[in-house]
Amino acid sequence: MSNKNCRVCKKEIDELMSFGKMPIANSFILDKKDKQFFFDLKIGFCETFFTFQVIEIPDKKKMFNENYAYLASTSSVMKNHWQELGDNSIKNYRLNKKSFVVEVGSNDGIFLENIHKKMIPHLGVDASKNVCDIAKKKGVNVLNAFFNTESADNIKKKYGLADLIVSTNTMHHIEDINSVAEGMSLLLKDDGVIITEDPSLKEMIKKNSYDQIYAEHMYIWSLASMNSLFGKYNMEIFDIENNFFHGGCSRYFIGKKDKRPISEKVRLHEKDENSLGLKNVSTFKKFSKSNHKSKTKLSELLKKLKSEGKKIVGYGAPAKSTTILNFCGIDSNIIDVIYDNSSTKIGKFTPGKSLIKIKHSDEFRFEKSQFCVLFAWNHKEEILNKEKNFTKNGGKWILPVNDIKIIE
Ligand code: TMP
């Protein structure tokens, strides 16, 4: 047991495992000699509020700053996904020119640009200036700030209460999550709706996708833990949808308590979570053991291929790859180069001890290596479809987590 406390309920937390010294996952570096920040990546589980969380979190300014590397619009599939969420929300909640939509963690405006095109009043809030600048160029109204009770109060005074608050792939990024949930409750109309979407704990446990865990992913949420958090502020989840994005996400529909009936889908999801043991620390102890097995399997596979003289490259440098590379001890002696299409990563090196050069994915078509590790495994269909020539030329893809294997 550790003496660390759950950030939501403040009770003592069960420490599960350490991934060892890790850099900030998105801190891609320009020069191999650049000084890097490392911290001990440890995870824990709270049996009171059922939150799965990273125990010690680096200072938020180290993670979310003017150089934030993750650009949501790098995937066309994700663009469609958020357009659909916008279209459905406009229809379901009858949003119009008198409504007010707030997005917490608006990134490069991937969701709000569609709301803006429909002339619906909106505000995106994001802590990273570079992504706010991109969103502004799309015409999106943004506030470069951390969302909390204070900024929520300021927004309320300036714009009024919100009909819809959306937060996608952000709830797992915010240390002071109580302040976010409380801020949302202050800013939401009585009959308003909050929609959040984040990687699902259920899917992470099912797939053993430990690469979801890194400094910026300080929580992996479940229905049970989200209900505990929002329950503190008199709100509840009334509906849920699951999708396969980011390796499996849950979309939660949250409203003020007793305003809407709880859907059957929520009941079913709750049952699924209970049968997977997502309220028991023993489940997460098993998960921790499996992570060590995964590490051995991947590093042995890559070392074997390398000893046979094979050339290995990587595809996609998501934040997830930082956890895999550093936990498994994979560096530029094993993987020559990683291809990625994010302007914020190209020409840089992967963080930590891995230090692998990142090249533009347009150059991948010239790649003659025998193996390619698909670090962006959650975009498998989109990438394999786009890069058919690699397979045609005899190249083989390797999946680095879950069912670690060479795709034949
Ligand atoms: P994500 O899993 O966090 O969305 O990150 C995916 C990474 O993979 C991101 O750095 C962009 C990169 N990527 C490509 O290089 N090509 C692609 O076709 C896709 C979908 C992603």
Side-chain angles (χ1 to χ4, degrees):
M1 289 284 264
S2 132
N3 60 2
K4 299 287 172 205
N5 295 338
C6 167
R7 279 188 298 276
V8 184
C9 75
K10 313 293 176 203
K11 296 219 172 92
E12 196 173 359
I13 202 171
D14 282 298
E15 189 175 318
L16 300 163
M17 69 171 280
S18 166
F19 286 89
K21 293 282 174 216
M22 285 280 164
I24 305 288
N26 269 310
S27 62
F28 295 87
I29 56 168
L30 264 175
D31 189 320
K32 277 186 175 184
K33 291 189 205 106
D34 282 354
K35 198 165 177 276
Q36 295 192 64
F37 168 82
F38 287 90
F39 76 106
D40 195 2
L41 178 62
K42 284 191 269 183
I43 48 174
F45 182 72
C46 163
E47 274 201 308
T48 313
F49 264 47
F50 318 120
T51 48
F52 178 95
Q53 51 195 283
V54 168
I55 292 183
E56 272 163 62
I57 298 171
D59 175 15
K60 61 185 174 187
K61 292 205 176 103
K62 283 200 162 68
M63 297 183 272
F64 306 106
N65 49 43
E66 63 283 4
N67 296 319
Y68 190 51
Y70 177 71
L71 298 180
S73 299
T74 48
S75 158
S76 55
V77 173
M78 291 315 287
K79 272 190 174 178
N80 294 340
H81 179 60
W82 301 126
Q83 165 132 25
E84 215 178 297
L85 173 63
D87 291 346
N88 289 342
S89 303
I90 292 170
K91 200 170 83 198
N92 295 342
Y93 308 118
R94 297 197 180 94
L95 301 175
N96 56 44
K97 288 173 189 158
K98 287 189 186 145
S99 312
F100 180 41
V101 178
V102 175
E103 186 178 17
V104 176
S106 43
N107 197 272
D108 57 11
I110 188 169
F111 168 73
L112 283 179
E113 62 180 299
N114 298 310
I115 299 290
H116 158 68
K117 280 183 197 150
K118 303 264 161 58
M119 320 252 284
I120 298 168
H122 63 271
L123 180 71
V125 187
D126 203 293
S128 300
K129 189 178 175 299
N130 63 327
V131 294
C132 285
D133 290 344
I134 301 175
K136 270 187 203 160
K137 284 195 189 131
K138 296 176 180 171
V140 172
N141 190 23
V142 283
L143 173 71
N144 179 203
F146 288 101
F147 184 87
N148 49 34
T149 47
E150 201 187 323
S151 51
D153 196 44
N154 290 337
I155 297 168
K156 188 172 108 181
K157 281 182 189 137
K158 193 165 172 193
Y159 300 89
L161 292 171
D163 298 88
L164 175 68
I165 303 177
V166 172
S167 181
T168 63
N169 291 308
T170 302
M171 293 296 288
H172 53 338
H173 281 326
I174 305 177
E175 180 171 5
D176 186 7
I177 201 69
N178 285 322
S179 183
V180 172
E182 191 177 357
M184 286 179 172
S185 79
L186 292 174
L187 189 57
L188 191 69
K189 280 187 182 163
D190 249 9
D191 59 350
V193 173
I194 299 168
I195 301 176
T196 72
E197 181 169 324
D198 291 283
S200 134
L201 186 65
K202 186 172 114 183
E203 291 306 312
M204 184 183 85
I205 293 298
K206 274 189 179 166
K207 298 194 174 90
N208 222 90
S209 44
Y210 67 84
D211 56 341
Q212 287 289 5
I213 302 163
Y214 45 90
E216 297 94 317
H217 276 195
M218 44 198 84
Y219 305 90
I220 308 292
W221 294 103
S222 62
L223 172 65
S225 56
M226 285 293 269
N227 251 334
S228 304
L229 169 67
F230 282 95
K232 273 182 87 171
Y233 305 100
N234 210 28
M235 296 183 281
E236 64 190 355
I237 295 165
F238 62 86
D239 203 7
I240 187 166
E241 284 171 7
N242 296 301
N243 63 53
F244 55 84
F245 297 107
H246 291 292
C249 281
S250 290
R251 181 179 286 175
Y252 304 101
F253 297 81
I254 303 151
K256 302 229 163 147
K257 259 194 187 142
D258 303 325
K259 287 276 172 199
R260 288 181 169 79
I262 308 292
S263 78
E264 188 54 26
K265 279 192 272 175
V266 172
R267 307 278 180 225
L268 287 174
H269 195 100
E270 199 171 11
K271 259 194 192 165
D272 273 4
E273 284 194 353
N274 289 344
S275 58
L276 257 181
L278 294 196
K279 287 184 176 167
N280 311 328
V281 71
S282 57
T283 307
F284 302 99
K285 285 187 176 155
K286 263 191 236 150
F287 166 74
S288 302
K289 272 194 192 151
S290 310
N291 295 341
H292 288 287
K293 283 190 200 147
S294 277
K295 167 183 169 164
T296 310
K297 194 167 170 188
L298 181 66
S299 50
E300 282 181 358
L301 170 66
L302 298 183
K303 275 181 199 148
K304 181 176 161 282
L305 293 174
K306 207 68 201 164
S307 70
E308 290 165 0
K310 303 287 194 298
K311 185 181 175 204
I312 312 169
V313 297
Y315 202 110
K320 293 190 280 291
S321 66
T322 300
T323 299
I324 300 180
L325 293 169
N326 287 281
F327 179 51
C328 300
I330 302 165
D331 59 18
S332 54
N333 291 314
I334 298 180
I335 293 187
D336 294 27
V337 58
I338 295 184
Y339 294 92
D340 195 285
N341 65 359
S342 312
S343 57
T344 44
K345 299 176 188 174
I346 296 160
K348 294 187 180 168
F349 293 89
T350 57
K353 296 211 168 132
S354 55
L355 297 172
I356 302 167
K357 182 90 182 171
I358 301 169
K359 284 193 184 166
H360 199 303
S361 52
D362 282 354
E363 292 181 50
F364 185 67
R365 65 197 143 111
F366 307 115
E367 188 49 65
K368 298 273 187 298
S369 61
Q370 289 98 339
F371 292 94
C372 180
V373 183
L374 186 59
F375 290 108
W377 55 268
N378 46 310
H379 299 283
K380 184 172 148 214
E381 268 177 45
E382 185 175 353
I383 293 172
L384 265 57
N385 213 5
K386 194 158 52 177
E387 307 292 1
K388 282 191 185 120
N389 270 344
F390 179 67
T391 323
K392 266 194 204 146
N393 293 337
K396 289 191 171 129
W397 297 93
I398 297 174
L399 293 178
V401 289
N402 189 14
D403 186 11
I404 296 165
K405 64 178 181 194
I406 297 170
I407 308 176
E408 294 294 343

